[in-house]
Amino acid sequence: MNNILVRNWDDKVILVVEDVDTNKLFFDAALRKTNAKIIWAMDGQEAVDLFKANKIDLVLMDLQLPVKDGYTATREIKQINQDVPIIAQTAHVMSGEKEKCLDAGCSDYLSKPIRLNLLMETLSKYLTD
């Protein structure tokens, strides 16, 4: 049986853009077992700067961020590399939010609170060769 929670992405680099500590703890716990290299950004500008400085395989992008919001950061990252998967994660689930994310260049969308199974399933779509 292929357990969705057991992944070995030791050759992958994931940029997690998140400014809320409790959410960071969740992602840290969820991703630790995957062996992926995790890079953290606290705001949209830091996300763009870190993306430029590193080879990133996937971005988990919070949308409500200080300094520069996730939509703007997503657009800027896509200008650098249009092929990188960016998965939006937001507590804002108003109608039209998913479309807004996809319009900004996000590949996928997760609404908070994020279920661990759904997170791993979504990441697997983009990180499993």
Side-chain angles (χ1 to χ4, degrees), residues 57-75:
D57 294 294
L58 182 138
V59 180
L60 262 172
M61 179 71 73
D62 189 13
L63 298 173
Q64 308 301 319
L65 293 165
V67 185
K68 180 179 288 182
D69 69 46
Y71 300 104
T72 305
T74 294
R75 286 188 201 96

Side-chain angles (χ1 to χ4, degrees), residues 24-47:
K24 285 176 70 175
L25 290 171
F26 167 78
F27 286 119
D28 184 53
L31 298 172
R32 186 179 304 129
K33 294 186 182 108
T34 68
N35 298 321
K37 180 179 180 198
I38 308 299
I39 299 175
W40 296 96
M42 294 289 287
D43 62 62
Q45 185 58 56
E46 188 181 8

Side-chain angles (χ1 to χ4, degrees), residues 11-15 51 55-59 83-86 126-127:
D11 60 337
K12 305 294 183 193
V13 179
I14 301 172
L15 173 61
F51 189 85
K55 186 197 170 301
I56 307 287
D57 294 294
L58 182 138
V59 180
D83 297 328
V84 70
I86 299 179
Y126 299 99
L127 291 176

Side-chain angles (χ1 to χ4, degrees), residues 2-124:
N2 189 3
N3 185 341
I4 195 74
L5 300 180
V6 180
R7 291 284 177 248
N8 185 10
W9 293 321
D10 57 2
D11 60 337
K12 305 294 183 193
V13 179
I14 301 172
L15 173 61
V16 181
V17 189
E18 178 58 69
D19 62 324
V20 177
D21 286 342
T22 51
N23 294 335
K24 285 176 70 175
L25 290 171
F26 167 78
F27 286 119
D28 184 53
L31 298 172
R32 186 179 304 129
K33 294 186 182 108
T34 68
N35 298 321
K37 180 179 180 198
I38 308 299
I39 299 175
W40 296 96
M42 294 289 287
D43 62 62
Q45 185 58 56
E46 188 181 8
V48 173
D49 294 342
L50 285 168
F51 189 85
K52 288 177 183 171
N54 296 276
K55 186 197 170 301
I56 307 287
D57 294 294
L58 182 138
V59 180
L60 262 172
M61 179 71 73
D62 189 13
L63 298 173
Q64 308 301 319
L65 293 165
V67 185
K68 180 179 288 182
D69 69 46
Y71 300 104
T72 305
T74 294
R75 286 188 201 96
E76 291 182 18
I77 288 171
K78 284 293 189 171
Q79 286 175 346
I80 301 164
N81 177 354
Q82 63 183 11
D83 297 328
V84 70
I86 299 179
I87 299 169
Q89 36 117 358
T90 182
H92 293 264
V93 290
M94 299 163 306
S95 79
E97 195 70 28
K98 185 171 186 175
E99 291 72 24
K100 195 174 168 187
C101 294
L102 300 176
D103 287 346
C106 292
S107 314
D108 222 318
Y109 172 94
L110 294 168
S111 59
K112 293 176 183 172
I114 297 170
R115 292 193 345 268
L116 181 58
N117 278 9
L118 186 60
L119 172 67
M120 298 310 286
E121 217 171 85
T122 303
L123 294 179
S124 292

